[in-house]
Amino acid sequence: MLEYLLEYAERKGMASEPGFKMKIVRYALDFSAGGQFLGVLSLGDDGKGLTLRCPDLSQPELIASKGCHFLVESAATVGLFLKPTAADKEIAKATAKHLFFTRLLEQASSVVPYLAAIAGALQDEATLNTIRAQMNEDRVKETDSVSLRVDGRLVLEDDGWQSWWREFRTQVRPKAASSEMVCFARGSLGDPAVTHPKIAASSVGGTATGSTLVSFDKDAFGSFGLKQSRNAAVSEEAATAYCDAMNSLIAAAPLVAGSKPLYWYDCSVPKEDDLLGFLLEPKALEESTALQAAKSLVTAIKAGGTPRAQQLASSRYFCCTITGAAGRVMVRDWMMGEFEQLAAAVAAWFDDLSIVRSNGRGLANEPAIGRLVECLLPDRKQGQNYDDWLKPVKGMLPQLWRAALNAQMPLPYRAMASAVTQNRAYVQTQSSSTFTLENRMALLKAYLLRSCRIKGEPITVTAYLEPDHPSTA
């Protein structure tokens, strides 16, 4: 998986480099080159910030330097912007970080001279009072990310400090025993990263500060006396690249049943051909159903008459489902295959699920895979936490995802049993929506078709009622 993540990062032109990371920067303190404070600027058209390439220290580097990040830090660090109720311990910690932040600016002024004036301004109590007053007026949070702008340009966009930053990192990096190992991701010899960068998995249960995909934090996890991530050797450059790729995919992926399904292709695939996207949101298609679109792709690829069809015929897909578990990223499944096989599987999936509406008027909407997971549950109670409600079926998504990508894979028995149980409750109470009912019936139909087809047993179950079917039921 790491190898294909690296290919994705390269194809997307990600400038992955140790010591740098894409971050969302919410605000900038605006200065003149002489150090005069001009105001606090909200970044981004929607005020939600800009995603920018920023200097970054790993957790071990932060510990070794006893400091903070360069050029981008929290409002508490950059402007000493704290709540009035902040404890003495919090104030002391923020003050130490603020001092380190300004000292970095002073050191970097050897290559970017105007940073000396900015460092001086941030050390001036009157200027800090003005900054804090405007931050308070603009409702800035003490945890919001803040950078610097000088003479109308973000300092992050100035290339002058980057060589200095690379040299600074070599001074604070924890010293490890130097011995080359084969990189798991690239297959080449090199010094492995002792720890890997963090992945932003807080949306699926990871920590707010980031979680790791590769980590060994207990002696029992190690072997042959190897420490930390040397047990799964990956070079620092490769570790940075695969983490950048995963963060990019996580940011773009929807949250589905408490998980994030990450997927990509090895070529550029337009929205109208995005088969994996159909599974997540079939209604995103404007001019056809997901079943029609998948069948059309199968036909086009087999005919192979157009450049688009030829490109898709030779392309592959990759997908994994992740969740977070405190400081770790958990990969729940991993799949890859040919695009042509994917098109046939997705067409079979929506064909198996097709079902008449509960009122008998046409076919029901094609269900998103997340809705199929949720339909296995009783109605969510008012005020009930989503994760608590979802807990009984939280592991169902990878199983349904696999069935959707392989027409020869049966649907899990547990899904059928849960659908029957919830449908019985619906018959008794009529509590669920007709949309949920239709999803359950679609799942039951697909379960029957898949089970009998795999066993080689003849069965015909259509989307509509068949009065002349030999089975009374």
Side-chain angles (χ1 to χ4, degrees):
M1 185 179 84
L2 297 184
E3 175 187 358
Y4 299 117
L5 283 169
L6 294 183
E7 289 180 359
Y8 173 83
E10 184 176 349
R11 192 174 70 256
K12 290 294 183 179
M14 295 180 184
S16 298
E17 180 184 349
F20 294 85
K21 185 177 181 180
M22 300 302 292
K23 298 180 182 181
I24 297 175
V25 184
R26 292 290 308 276
Y27 297 94
L29 301 185
D30 196 20
F31 291 92
S32 68
Q36 181 184 358
F37 175 64
L38 303 175
V40 177
L41 300 176
S42 176
L43 301 179
D45 294 335
D46 55 2
K48 293 182 179 180
L50 294 174
T51 301
L52 300 167
R53 186 170 184 258
C54 305
D56 182 73
L57 292 175
S58 66
Q59 192 64 26
E61 290 168 346
L62 285 172
I63 294 171
S65 65
K66 299 180 181 178
C68 63
H69 296 293
F70 177 54
L71 290 184
V72 179
E73 257 293 354
S74 66
T77 295
V78 180
L80 281 178
F81 182 66
L82 298 166
K83 294 177 181 177
T85 56
D88 291 344
K89 187 177 180 180
E90 292 177 285
I91 295 172
K93 184 178 178 181
T95 302
K97 282 190 171 185
H98 175 77
L99 182 60
F100 190 90
F101 185 85
T102 57
R103 283 179 178 172
L104 286 181
L105 295 178
E106 289 172 345
Q107 292 174 40
S109 68
S110 62
V111 290
V112 183
Y114 62 74
L115 289 179
I118 309 305
L122 290 175
Q123 292 167 349
D124 178 67
E125 191 60 31
T127 303
L128 284 175
N129 285 334
T130 304
I131 290 172
R132 288 192 287 261
Q134 186 168 343
M135 283 183 170
N136 188 57
E137 185 179 330
D138 293 347
R139 297 185 178 181
V140 177
K141 296 177 183 177
E142 60 183 288
T143 55
D144 283 339
S145 54
V146 177
S147 190
L148 306 169
R149 193 175 86 150
V150 178
D151 278 356
R153 185 185 182 194
L154 289 170
V155 179
L156 290 169
E157 297 173 342
D158 191 328
D159 297 332
W161 53 265
Q162 296 191 17
S163 295
W164 171 86
W165 173 246
R166 293 183 183 99
E167 177 61 29
F168 174 82
R169 275 193 69 246
T170 64
Q171 300 169 21
V172 299
R173 286 173 60 188
K175 300 296 185 289
S178 180
S179 60
E180 289 190 330
M181 299 177 73
V182 176
C183 175
F184 273 45
R186 289 201 166 116
S188 55
L189 281 172
D191 290 331
V194 178
T195 59
H196 292 196
K198 300 286 187 179
I199 293 168
S202 59
S203 58
V204 286
T207 59
T209 55
S211 305
T212 52
L213 179 66
V214 178
S215 62
F216 298 78
D217 63 349
K218 292 178 176 62
D219 291 341
F221 300 159
S223 58
F224 300 102
L226 297 173
K227 298 294 184 182
Q228 295 180 297
S229 297
R230 291 174 68 82
N231 285 279
V234 177
S235 70
E236 190 181 22
E237 291 75 15
T240 302
Y242 88 69
C243 287
D244 283 351
M246 284 201 80
N247 283 326
S248 171
L249 291 165
I250 288 171
L255 184 62
V256 180
S259 305
K260 283 263 186 175
L262 314 182
Y263 72 88
W264 66 99
Y265 306 94
D266 63 1
C267 69
S268 178
V269 174
K271 182 179 179 180
E272 61 270 19
D273 296 337
D274 182 6
L275 291 164
L276 293 167
F278 296 173
L279 297 174
L280 297 173
E281 191 52 71
K283 290 189 291 185
L285 289 162
E286 296 179 359
E287 298 182 0
S288 65
T289 66
L291 175 58
Q292 291 168 342
K295 284 183 174 180
S296 175
L297 277 173
V298 171
T299 302
I301 290 171
K302 286 183 176 179
T306 64
R308 164 177 166 260
Q310 292 169 6
Q311 181 193 42
L312 293 177
S314 61
S315 66
R316 294 179 297 173
Y317 71 90
F318 311 92
C319 59
C320 66
T321 303
I322 69 161
T323 59
R328 297 179 185 275
V329 174
M330 311 298 288
V331 178
R332 300 301 180 181
D333 61 7
W334 163 250
M335 291 167 281
M336 57 180 285
E338 304 297 327
F339 192 93
E340 184 175 0
Q341 296 171 350
L342 175 64
V346 172
W349 173 254
F350 284 113
D351 197 24
D352 288 347
L353 288 170
S354 62
I355 195 80
V356 68
R357 291 183 186 276
S358 58
N359 61 14
R361 300 171 186 169
L363 291 177
N365 291 331
E366 293 165 320
I369 202 162
R371 296 298 185 189
L372 291 176
V373 175
E374 294 175 348
C375 82
L376 303 177
L377 294 164
D379 289 346
R380 183 178 171 190
K381 297 175 183 177
Q382 187 174 6
Q384 186 178 12
N385 179 273
Y386 179 79
D387 286 339
D388 291 341
W389 175 65
L390 189 69
K391 196 172 292 183
V393 295
K394 201 162 188 178
M396 196 65 70
L397 178 64
Q399 297 178 56
L400 292 178
W401 191 249
R402 281 187 170 275
L405 301 187
N406 184 347
Q408 299 307 310
M409 180 168 286
L411 271 71
Y413 177 86
R414 184 177 159 214
M416 181 276 293
S418 297
V420 169
T421 300
Q422 297 307 325
N423 191 55
R424 185 184 300 123
Y426 168 79
V427 171
Q428 294 170 348
T429 64
Q430 301 286 305
S431 58
S432 299
S433 67
T434 55
F435 179 68
T436 302
L437 171 66
E438 290 163 359
N439 287 346
R440 288 175 187 152
M441 300 309 293
L443 203 55
L444 290 174
K445 171 176 174 275
Y447 178 86
L448 288 171
L449 286 171
R450 289 284 177 99
S451 298
C452 294
R453 189 185 301 141
I454 292 168
K455 294 176 184 176
E457 298 174 358
I459 184 172
T460 303
V461 182
T462 65
Y464 293 86
L465 174 67
E466 291 184 84
D468 299 325
H469 197 282
S471 170
T472 303

